[in-house]
Amino acid sequence: MGYDLIDVKPIAGNIGAEIGGIDMAQPLGNQAFKEVHDALMAHQVIFFRDQDISPAEHVSFARQFGTLHVHPYAPHHPDHPEVLILKSSKKNRSAANVWHSDVTFEEEPPLGSILLAREVPEHGGDTMWANMYMAYEALSEPMKRYLEGLKARNTAGKASFEKAYDNLSDAEKLEILKGRMAQEGAEHPIVRTHPVTGRKALYVNAIFTQKIVGVSSKESRAILDFLFDHLKRPEFTCRFRWEKGSVAFWDNRCTQHYAVADYGDATREMHRVTVNGDRPY
């Protein structure tokens, strides 16, 4: 794939590329938009460095890719509800150390997210992404046939809450749990077809996917545990070292990500704007 306006440098063998030639504070023209979108489709997650942008510019950049999502319970910027504030300290690591796709308990989960580093630790605090096309393609043919057509229930209930929020205070847990329990959840196919590329991707995750529909609880648990372990194989992944002003833009429909909580007492603050998606099929 050729690019005239941007530089695209892959950072791993099977997922991820760093993009040069874009100032996110400025509107993308038609050609630049096409090239950035093409790079996202080709590499699943793309990275930008040295982006000194305001919350309003962050929102404006994201709006070029679709309407924006407002998270149902997490804290956001006071002037821009589309900007989710993810501030992590030693006692609060949010969804760190868990592979997941975002907000799959909604009927139409996000297309993707644009994450900006506002404050990063001197050491540690990397994020990893995994290629769910490859996770699906690496399954055996009998397993693919078994999974084809199956759906799984995704919820934001207590079980998933406990996995991701062990380090929150009791008061913080209660407030977030109230928001999560208000979400009824959604059933999505275990194997999802990407609406742009047409490729099939594994679409279950360890935070929100609770049970395969139509099978026993014991069978569901065994299959889901196998898939959760399978999808994090190192050859499916890339790892990104954050700097202040770095940005990651990932396709939530064909990736999972994992925030590595290895930075001790340091604080890490990220701002995330999320683009609305469509119903998985």
Side-chain angles (χ1 to χ4, degrees):
M1 186 176 294
Y3 302 98
D4 296 325
L5 301 181
I6 64 174
D7 299 317
V8 180
K9 182 180 179 181
I11 68 166
N14 293 307
I15 182 173
E18 194 162 315
I19 306 299
I22 293 295
D23 177 359
M24 293 175 61
Q26 304 300 321
L28 295 170
N30 290 340
Q31 183 62 25
F33 171 85
K34 180 181 183 303
E35 293 187 14
V36 169
H37 184 266
D38 286 350
L40 180 65
M41 294 302 99
H43 297 282
Q44 295 89 60
V45 55
I46 53 178
F47 306 102
F48 307 82
R49 297 285 190 185
D50 302 318
Q51 300 294 327
D52 183 17
I53 56 173
S54 67
E57 290 166 340
H58 192 174
V59 168
S60 294
F61 179 85
R63 277 210 177 104
Q64 296 172 98
F65 295 86
T67 61
L68 301 185
H69 180 269
V70 176
H71 203 281
Y73 60 82
H76 55 76
H77 191 281
D79 299 322
H80 301 279
E82 305 93 343
V83 180
L84 182 67
I85 298 175
L86 302 170
K87 190 167 185 176
S88 302
S89 60
K90 188 173 184 178
K91 73 168 187 174
N92 172 14
R93 289 291 189 247
S94 186
N97 293 337
V98 186
W99 283 105
H100 65 286
S101 301
D102 289 329
V103 201
T104 61
F105 54 82
E106 294 190 344
E107 292 289 344
E108 296 185 350
L111 176 157
S113 289
I114 301 167
L115 185 66
L116 168 67
R118 291 289 186 188
E119 180 181 358
V120 296
E122 184 177 352
H123 306 291
D126 296 356
T127 303
M128 302 169 66
W129 279 264
N131 182 332
M132 292 299 102
Y133 295 141
M134 289 199 70
Y136 169 74
E137 291 162 2
L139 294 170
S140 68
E141 290 304 318
M143 180 58 75
K144 290 178 183 176
R145 289 195 295 271
Y146 174 78
L147 297 177
E148 194 71 36
L150 288 178
K151 292 186 176 182
R153 187 74 181 171
N154 290 256
T155 73
K158 188 172 185 293
S160 59
F161 166 83
E162 289 174 340
K163 292 178 185 177
Y165 290 87
D166 287 341
N167 296 312
L168 292 179
S169 70
D170 289 342
E172 289 169 322
K173 285 182 179 181
L174 180 60
E175 288 304 309
I176 295 177
L177 182 57
K178 287 177 181 177
R180 285 194 162 204
M181 295 303 288
Q183 299 291 323
E184 294 182 358
E187 292 179 3
H188 296 311
I190 293 176
V191 179
R192 178 177 187 173
T193 300
H194 195 284
V196 177
T197 67
R199 296 178 67 183
K200 293 182 178 180
L202 194 59
Y203 199 65
V204 294
N205 72 91
I207 293 185
F208 302 123
T209 306
Q210 300 300 315
K211 186 181 183 298
I212 299 174
V213 177
V215 305
S216 70
S217 295
K218 187 174 182 179
E219 182 179 353
S220 172
R221 187 75 271 145
I223 295 299
L224 288 177
D225 284 347
F226 161 74
L227 294 175
F228 297 156
D229 183 64
H230 166 78
L231 61 84
K232 59 187 180 184
R233 282 167 49 176
E235 62 266 35
F236 302 158
T237 71
C238 69
R239 182 167 179 147
F240 185 66
R241 172 63 187 151
W242 293 99
E243 301 169 354
K244 185 176 180 180
S246 296
V247 174
F249 184 2
W250 67 90
D251 190 330
N252 198 58
R253 302 166 293 189
C254 59
T255 66
Q256 293 195 31
H257 54 283
Y258 182 110
V260 183
D262 62 347
Y263 44 99
D265 294 331
T267 297
R268 178 179 182 269
E269 181 171 340
M270 318 294 281
H271 287 186
R272 191 180 86 193
V273 177
T274 296
V275 182
N276 284 320
D278 55 336
R279 185 183 297 272
Y281 69 91

